[in-house]
């Protein structure tokens, strides 16, 4: 079964469906009226094609008048029959390769004169093609639409490429922080002394004290053996001081300050040491 149109001479016939050409957009699409080709009817009924064509012309003469020769190789037949019958050349290398495409109404009129088996074969095919034609048809995009699709695809690829580069940069920026926290041997809670901090950062305590002093984190008062944190590091929450009262052997007491590294300071030091 096929779609009938006066402009379908240059369109293909696929599995019994004639694809007609839409003048508005130059595309081949399926129309609402289905037609069956004389060649397919000949195949279904096991009749010679020229005999089927003769039967179709006999119907046209009876319904429309005129002579048999009026309907031979007549490309204007679709106009004359109000889209019910068209005559098309299916092989342009063969001047005798013409066939008819007839509507369901004309197909039913045609097979009325055939025996039961032949009528059944054609009717079954009509139902089959009608069911197939109910399926949504895929419209072929125009060249302009294809070009726009390509442009959009290229823009999307460019956007994704930029995003990937941005994410890559962010990952690179995060690597020192990740590596810094990996240096911490165990999970810490609260502040800890410098010696314990050195152990968590997997650094020798003596060397760690020297590095903190060189980086401007801790210092000693003149004549004192105790390390203290610089005030700016305390304000930043990196260091804090623990005040302890110690009893002397003579029974007197003295106040001792001990510098502690906060969790924030631990993370900062870990990142700084990793960077070095």
């Amino acid at each position: 079964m096929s779609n009938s149109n006066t402009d379908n001479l240059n369109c293909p016939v696929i599995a019994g469906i004639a694809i007609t050409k839409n003048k508005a957009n130059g595309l081949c699409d399926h129309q609402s009226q289905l037609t069956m080709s004389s060649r397919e009817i000949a195949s279904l009924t096991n009749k010679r094609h020229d005999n089927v064509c003769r039967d179709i012309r006999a119907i046209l003469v009876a319904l429309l008048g005129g002579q048999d020769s009026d309907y031979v190789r007549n490309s204007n037949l679709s106009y004359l029959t109000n889209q019910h019958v068209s005559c098309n050349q299916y092989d342009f290398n063969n001047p005798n390769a013409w066939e008819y495409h007839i509507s369901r109404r004309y197909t039913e009129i045609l097979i009325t004169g055939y025996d039961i088996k032949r009528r059944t074969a054609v009717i079954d095919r009509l139902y089959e093609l009608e069911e197939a034609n109910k399926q949504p048809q895929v419209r072929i995009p125009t060249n302009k639409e294809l070009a726009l699709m390509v442009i959009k695809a290229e823009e999307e690829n460019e956007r994704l490429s930029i995003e990937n580069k941005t994410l890559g940069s962010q990952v690179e920026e995060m690597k020192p922080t990740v590596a810094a926290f990996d240096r911490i041997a165990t999970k810490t809670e609260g502040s800890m002394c410098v010696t314990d901090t050195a152990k968590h950062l997997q650094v020798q305590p003596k060397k760690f004290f020297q590095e903190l002093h060189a980086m401007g984190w801790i210092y000693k008062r003149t004549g004192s053996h105790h390390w203290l944190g610089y005030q700016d590091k305390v304000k930043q929450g990196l260091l804090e001081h623990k005040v302890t009262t110690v009893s002397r052997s003579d029974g007197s007491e003295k106040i001792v300050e001990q510098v502690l590294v906060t969790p924030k300071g631990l993370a900062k030091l870990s990142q700084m040491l990793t960077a070095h």
Side-chain angles (χ1 to χ4, degrees), residues 246-254:
V246 179
S247 299
R248 294 190 178 95
S249 58
D250 60 0
S252 61
E253 295 179 345
K254 69 174 181 177

Side-chain angles (χ1 to χ4, degrees), residues 115-126:
D115 59 47
I116 293 176
K117 287 186 177 180
R118 286 170 172 165
R119 289 202 303 269
T120 302
V122 175
I123 290 172
D124 287 345
R125 181 59 174 160
L126 283 171

Side-chain angles (χ1 to χ4, degrees), residues 76 188 195 260:
N76 292 322
T188 59
T195 300
L260 301 177

Side-chain angles (χ1 to χ4, degrees), residues 98-202:
W98 288 73
E99 66 178 351
Y100 293 100
H101 286 269
I102 61 177
S103 66
R104 182 186 181 99
R105 177 173 181 265
Y106 273 67
T107 300
E108 291 177 347
I109 294 172
L110 174 68
I111 63 176
T112 300
Y114 294 169
D115 59 47
I116 293 176
K117 287 186 177 180
R118 286 170 172 165
R119 289 202 303 269
T120 302
V122 175
I123 290 172
D124 287 345
R125 181 59 174 160
L126 283 171
Y127 283 127
E128 178 184 336
L129 294 176
E130 285 179 342
E131 287 299 317
N133 195 60
K134 291 178 182 179
Q135 301 298 322
Q137 303 299 327
V138 178
R139 188 180 67 83
I140 303 173
T142 64
N143 290 336
K144 181 178 180 180
E145 290 171 334
L146 287 173
L148 290 174
M149 291 167 62
V150 170
I151 292 173
K152 288 182 179 179
E154 291 177 348
E155 290 176 348
E156 181 66 12
N157 286 336
E158 184 177 355
R159 184 185 67 81
L160 292 175
S161 177
I162 293 174
E163 285 187 0
N164 288 336
K165 289 180 180 179
T166 302
L167 290 174
S169 299
Q170 292 176 350
V171 170
E172 290 298 322
E173 291 175 359
M174 291 174 62
K175 281 183 178 179
T177 302
V178 175
F181 281 102
D182 286 343
R183 293 176 61 92
I184 302 176
T186 60
K187 183 178 179 181
T188 59
E189 293 183 3
S191 301
M192 63 182 68
C193 66
V194 176
T195 300
D196 288 341
T197 301
K199 292 178 181 178
H200 277 77
L201 295 176
Q202 304 172 37

Side-chain angles (χ1 to χ4, degrees), residues 251-265:
S252 61
E253 295 179 345
K254 69 174 181 177
I255 297 176
V256 178
E257 283 187 287
Q258 182 184 18
V259 64
L260 301 177
V261 179
T262 66
K264 181 179 178 181

